[in-house]
Amino acid sequence: MADATTRFLEDLDRREYEPLLAKSSGSLRLDLHEGAQTTHWLLRIDRGRVRVSQDDREADTVVGVSPALFEDIAAGREGGVAAMLRGDVTVTGDLRLLLQVERLFPSHPDARGPNSPYRRMRAEREVQ
């Protein structure tokens, strides 16, 4: 598995509670497709409490993406919504949940927009 992907998802699981998802509940499954192989990551969210596993279970939202593209999204080199609008990411189910989770991803250091304040909040939390 790609380094940024694993780091991002394992860090999310270790935090257990994410204030940015305090009003969110549901499940989101990431299907990382590479040829005939698919790696699954399941995020279960209950009003900010987050659990991450590699279960292949039904979910409210299912996101299909290549491992390389998700690596870029997890590292902040690529925007998830932009990739979805280009058709490089497929989404079935509750799009609202994906948009709420998308706020957790780092943005490019030069980015200006909604992720910038969240990136600063995460950086401040990591320093403490």
Side-chain angles (χ1 to χ4, degrees):
M1 184 55 55
D3 288 331
T5 298
T6 302
R7 268 195 317 270
F8 175 79
L9 293 167
E10 288 179 352
D11 179 56
L12 186 60
D13 188 53
R14 273 192 298 277
R15 285 193 302 241
E16 294 182 8
Y17 181 79
E18 178 51 60
L20 293 174
L21 299 176
K23 296 181 180 179
S24 303
S25 292
S27 57
L28 183 143
R29 190 180 74 219
L30 297 169
D31 290 348
L32 306 180
H33 304 291
E34 188 163 42
Q37 183 178 350
T38 301
T39 303
H40 305 282
W41 289 89
L42 182 66
L43 285 70
R44 290 177 298 227
I45 303 160
D46 183 16
R47 290 171 286 174
R49 289 185 300 276
V50 180
R51 298 302 309 157
V52 179
S53 66
Q54 288 196 275
D55 294 338
D56 179 13
R57 295 188 178 178
E58 286 194 33
D60 300 316
T61 306
V62 178
V63 178
V65 61
S66 74
L69 178 55
F70 192 80
E71 172 78 6
D72 286 344
I73 293 169
R77 294 184 296 265
E78 178 68 59
V81 172
M84 182 181 63
L85 293 173
R86 284 194 313 268
D88 294 337
V89 173
T90 61
V91 181
T92 57
D94 186 359
L95 182 59
R96 290 175 301 173
L97 185 60
L98 174 63
L99 295 174
Q100 292 164 344
V101 169
E102 197 268 339
R103 297 182 299 167
L104 303 178
F105 287 90
S107 59
H108 190 276
D110 297 332
R112 295 181 188 164
N115 279 354
S116 296
Y118 301 116
R119 186 179 72 246
R120 282 193 296 273
M121 282 177 23
R122 271 196 307 278
E124 290 170 2
R125 193 171 50 218
E126 290 173 5
V127 170
Q128 295 175 358

